[in-house]
Amino acid sequence: MKVLVIGGGGREHAIAWALHKSPKVDELYAIPGNPGISEIGTCVPGSVEDLDGILKFVENKAIDLTVIGPEVPLCMGLADLLEDHGHKVFGPRQKAANLEGSKAFSKDFMVRHHIPTAKYVEVTDLESAYEALKEFSYPVVVKADGLAAGKGVVIAEDEKTAKETLKEMLSGEILSGAGKKVVLEEFLTGFECSLLCFTDGKTIVPMVSAKDHKQIYDNNKGPNTGGMGSVSPNPFLPAGMDEKFRTEIMDPFVKGLQEDGLDFRGVIFIGLMIENGEPKVLEFNVRFGDPETQAVLMRLDSDLYEIMNAVAEGKLADVDIKWKDDQVTCVVLASGGYPGSYEKGKVITGLDQLPEDIVVFHAGTAMKDGQLVTNGGRVLNICAEGGSLEETRTKVYDAIKSIHFDGMYCRKDIGLH
Ligand code: AMP
Ligand code: GLY
């Protein structure tokens, strides 16, 4: 089979890595991919937003299955375009991708289908926004409606901050494309975790649990990033949540898809807040999480191609998904300055000196004059598998000592907080 992966980050490298292990995958392509993926497949230059270019490639190469990694092409309708031309896709169609693409759409979906979530109000003009604000206490959560690359959520501690944020967001100037509609939301407290599931819109199957670490500094300090590391299983997940997740979240989710006629064949990533054993949904993402996926897919003990193909064909109920009963730690090596501005093009050394049981996924790298260099904020994901959190943390942090690039930064407490 010929499989195409759309995207070029650590998540896509992990997806490609798992697909490459399948005896059914003969040819593996990625657009645009990255130097890590190019070791196991063919990377084709191009943009994940060039939908017509991707369609042409799929037709020219007679690709059997296209796996879409990032949310942007999903929200632009890449799955629709490919499927409408008769090609098989892993990833939801545009209308369903709105569950991530629009906060207002996803809150409305949750409320109508009785999925527990924070109380909210949707506003489109400043006057009604200020009026609605009176119904909330502080802190209040202000969310820009559209895709905002993780920058559309502000937790406002007081009325002044809330009003300023609303003004900025509703003017639509701060976040182009996002923000002309805003969701005001009750602030939830508790413990945050993510639930990743495969679904074909009829059957929903949770993956093993994972935790990511969003803030840049140790002890969860500093600004949010795309994610500085992950562990699987999630060591902090309270026991006995599986049944609650199934009956209160996953089953109503699939029923909601069916009632609303949303065609969802891919991964639903559910961000949850749990307080006193009660889960509430913070957000939906319509794709794998990054870097949760890196840790989760290392623990997969089934053929990822078979799972993705079954999802794409609406036959998820026919596959048996097995996981290894072990532990994975994944630490992100980032460019100095990230998530603010940072320099690119720093030479990366030491990857050839790592022990065999260390898995490296490339996130933001490039080849320049025959050398591997940094090319993004999150540069590499260093991962190890083992029997315990302690063992895998030791393996990963020992391995990191051999890797170098100017300004290299990582959190030292992945898996601990
Ligand atoms: P979202 O993109 O909606 O998941 O928001 C990003 C992050 O903001 C979440 O991972 C939470 O840390 C935080 N957040 C979002 N909504 C709330 C809420 N209602 N209460 C508390 N924190 C929230
Ligand atoms: N790690 C969070 C995300 O992928 O959205």
Side-chain angles (χ1 to χ4, degrees):
M1 290 292 160
K2 296 182 191 175
V3 181
L4 168 66
V5 176
I6 302 297
R11 164 182 57 202
E12 286 78 20
H13 189 183
I15 293 170
W17 172 87
L19 286 169
H20 175 69
K21 292 199 286 190
S22 167
K24 298 209 165 104
V25 176
D26 309 304
E27 292 178 33
L28 184 62
Y29 297 91
I31 298 179
N34 65 38
I37 299 176
S38 72
E39 288 171 16
I40 51 174
T42 306
C43 294
V44 181
S47 161
V48 303
E49 297 180 28
D50 176 13
L51 307 198
D52 290 331
I54 293 170
L55 173 63
K56 250 185 223 143
F57 181 82
V58 166
E59 308 221 298
N60 286 342
K61 282 280 179 213
I63 296 293
D64 295 294
L65 176 69
T66 301
V67 177
I68 305 172
E71 62 275 18
V72 171
L74 288 166
C75 291
M76 289 171 73
L78 179 56
D80 308 54
L81 181 70
L82 295 177
E83 284 184 347
D84 293 349
H85 284 81
H87 305 291
K88 223 187 285 177
V89 176
F90 180 92
R93 291 174 72 95
Q94 189 173 31
K95 207 169 147 208
N98 258 329
L99 288 168
E100 175 164 3
S102 163
K103 300 277 186 203
F105 181 88
S106 78
K107 291 296 284 190
D108 175 63
F109 178 90
M110 290 181 230
V111 171
R112 283 188 298 104
H113 300 296
H114 311 290
I115 297 168
T117 189
K119 188 184 94 171
Y120 85 107
V121 176
E122 177 190 324
V123 289
T124 48
D125 67 90
L126 208 52
E127 202 181 325
S128 46
Y130 285 0
E131 195 53 37
L133 210 47
K134 292 179 188 156
E135 296 170 36
F136 292 88
S137 53
Y138 292 90
V140 66
V141 186
V142 189
K143 297 185 176 183
D145 185 55
L147 284 183
K151 297 185 184 81
V153 177
V154 171
I155 296 173
E157 297 290 338
D158 50 47
E159 190 182 334
K160 185 168 169 277
T161 317
K163 286 188 167 171
E164 277 168 12
T165 307
L166 282 166
K167 216 186 243 171
E168 280 174 6
M169 283 187 181
L170 286 167
S171 74
E173 282 160 17
I174 303 297
L175 306 153
S176 62
K180 302 214 166 97
K181 206 186 266 177
V182 167
V183 164
L184 276 173
E185 198 173 289
E186 165 200 15
F187 178 76
L188 298 177
T189 51
F191 154 83
E192 231 177 295
C193 77
S194 347
L195 178 62
L196 280 86
C197 308
F198 291 108
T199 184
D200 60 1
K202 294 175 279 190
T203 304
I204 184 162
V205 181
M207 302 184 207
V208 284
S209 70
K211 164 157 190 65
D212 85 337
H213 293 67
K214 286 202 171 79
Q215 282 101 339
I216 184 77
Y217 302 126
D218 285 7
N219 297 310
N220 298 330
K221 296 269 168 31
N224 271 351
T225 68
M228 292 302 292
S230 59
V231 289
S232 177
N234 182 341
F236 307 104
L237 191 64
M241 293 302 295
D242 294 359
E243 188 54 27
K244 250 192 177 358
F245 287 168
R246 166 69 59 192
T247 56
E248 293 182 16
I249 316 251
M250 285 156 32
D251 288 346
F253 176 76
V254 168
K255 198 161 156 269
L257 292 179
Q258 287 167 359
E259 284 176 15
D260 290 2
L262 298 176
D263 186 352
F264 198 118
R265 283 164 289 140
V267 168
I268 183 75
F269 164 132
I270 308 171
L272 296 169
M273 187 75 91
I274 305 176
E275 190 166 41
N276 303 323
E278 295 300 329
K280 286 189 180 167
V281 175
L282 289 175
E283 64 163 344
F284 291 126
N285 295 313
V286 298
R287 37 124 190 126
F288 278 104
D290 188 343
E292 290 91 332
T293 304
Q294 289 85 315
V296 164
L297 289 185
M298 281 181 64
R299 297 184 59 209
L300 182 64
D301 207 9
S302 297
D303 183 320
L304 183 63
Y305 169 77
E306 278 179 16
I307 298 169
M308 289 182 154
N309 190 57
V311 167
E313 290 184 345
K315 294 178 181 160
L316 178 57
D318 297 349
V319 291
D320 183 21
I321 304 179
K322 293 198 183 73
W323 302 94
K324 291 182 244 178
D325 185 19
D326 61 0
Q327 210 281 333
V328 173
T329 294
C330 165
V331 174
V332 172
L333 302 184
S335 295
Y338 174 77
S341 61
Y342 53 83
E343 288 176 21
K344 294 181 182 178
K346 308 290 182 198
V347 175
I348 302 168
T349 56
L351 293 186
D352 48 354
Q353 287 151 38
L354 301 179
E356 287 223 326
D357 57 353
I358 293 292
V359 177
V360 177
F361 296 120
H362 290 226
T365 67
M367 290 304 290
K368 197 177 158 199
D369 306 328
Q371 281 182 310
L372 186 70
V373 298
T374 64
N375 193 39
R378 292 190 291 174
V379 178
L380 293 165
N381 309 143
I382 313 302
C383 310
E385 208 170 350
S388 70
L389 181 59
E390 203 184 311
E391 179 194 336
T392 56
R393 275 179 44 80
T394 306
K395 276 191 198 173
V396 169
Y397 283 110
D398 278 350
I400 287 172
K401 288 179 196 153
S402 335
I403 305 171
H404 179 266
F405 53 86
D406 278 353
M408 181 177 109
Y409 169 79
C410 68
R411 272 182 68 159
K412 299 288 186 300
D413 64 345
I414 297 306
L416 298 187
H417 297 287

